[in-house]
Amino acid sequence: MSAEVRRAAEILRAGGLVAFPTETVYGLGADASSAKAVARLYAVKRRPADHPVIVHFASADDAFTWAREVPDAAKLLARQFWPGPLTLILKRSAKAQDFVTGAQDNVGLRVPSHPVAHELLTLFKGGVAAPSANRFGLVSPTTAAHVRADLGADVDLVLEGGPSEVGIESTIVDLSGGGPVLLRPGRIRKADLEKALGMKMQEKAKASPRHSGGLERHYAPQTPARLVPTYDLDKEIARLKEKVAVLAFSRPDERVDYWLRMPRDPDAYAQKLYGALRELDTAGCEEILVEAPPEAPEWAAVRDRLQRACR
Ligand code: TXA
Ligand code: MG
């Protein structure tokens, strides 16, 4: 693997694009200090230029050089959750230029734990701007095969790292203003963050224009998907006329053409979610029915992604 990772670091240094595995989802990486490399990243992603990207580092010390203020809360969360599936939004230093921050005064920083990501970031040394390695608005990739299917020849190298262990994007906490604000739920839960911080956290209202995860239709399959409460699932299936796919907790129903059964544990569910949506999306169905997950707090991240994937 190491020779491949060395090649990847060289490609980044030359201004190229490298897709790499992280524990959350695969990222599409570019040198975060190169305007040209980041411009190409946005073009391939088909992402609007005013959307900021997360910058990835090998260590918290490296990451914090991109912030001009590192509040105690950031140090605390970094100590407890980095490397890992957490992104911190901090006031930017001069290293974080307009083309990675969407011209905002803050920057998103993350230290991933995946060994291949860590090796790449260690070899590269600088910050690597990396959104999820899918086209804008679609479901994030959790395998190298997903990346190749989405981006094909538009990326210079795809590093293989197995299926992403978390399966959904990092938890994002904004520490750039007054108190901590949860911008995007993820594997690291609100309660764990509050416990680490010793204080309550605000939650960002839905549909913020400043981060693309906040756009309503995001993380979405191309087949229309609809959330159905458990008690309505049978009724919905009974009156179906078209070919549909179902994502549910229960056993397959023979009236349905394509059925994927999902785990009852929220972390296991998240790990399988995007692969499952991709699979159902290629089943040639008119609609995807998704059994709504429980209301409990540990399901917040899965509920968030499903609400965005569904109409
Ligand atoms: O798990 C992850 O975070 C993955 C892996 C590759 O690290 N990355 C990821 O990136 O999900 P992306 O670009 O697909 O989503 C990042 C979210 C976007 O909604 C982006 O707008 C927001 O983070 N974001 C980045 N920098 C920000 C900032 N300075 N202020 C507010 N939101 C920011
Ligand atoms: Mg994304």
Side-chain angles (χ1 to χ4, degrees), residues 143-166:
T143 66
H146 293 163
V147 178
R148 277 187 230 106
D150 280 4
L151 301 178
D154 286 348
V155 43
D156 299 312
L157 181 68
V158 181
L159 286 176
E160 180 61 62
S164 295
E165 183 207 316
V166 175

Side-chain angles (χ1 to χ4, degrees), residues 161-242:
S164 295
E165 183 207 316
V166 175
I168 55 172
E169 304 79 357
S170 60
T171 304
I172 305 183
V173 177
D174 188 351
L175 294 170
S176 69
V181 182
L182 182 68
L183 293 186
R184 181 171 71 184
R187 162 72 78 88
I188 296 174
R189 303 194 217 295
K190 190 165 176 250
D192 301 328
L193 295 162
E194 288 178 334
K195 198 171 158 209
L197 291 170
M199 68 190 290
K200 289 282 170 201
M201 269 173 79
Q202 301 286 96
E203 251 175 276
K204 181 74 168 190
K206 288 260 152 62
S208 153
R210 293 315 297 172
H211 65 117
S212 57
L215 295 178
E216 242 172 61
R217 286 260 316 161
H218 200 60
Y219 312 113
Q222 273 149 331
T223 312
R226 185 154 54 96
L227 272 172
V228 179
T230 304
Y231 54 82
D232 276 344
L233 197 59
D234 194 62
K235 199 171 69 200
E236 286 286 340
I237 290 168
R239 66 161 187 243
L240 286 175
K241 289 193 195 65
E242 10 172 69

Side-chain angles (χ1 to χ4, degrees), residues 38 41-42 47 51-56 99-102 107-109 129-131:
V38 173
L41 175 68
Y42 275 62
R47 184 181 201 159
H51 283 268
V53 275
I54 296 171
V55 189
H56 298 68
F99 54 82
V100 286
T101 68
V107 61
L109 306 172

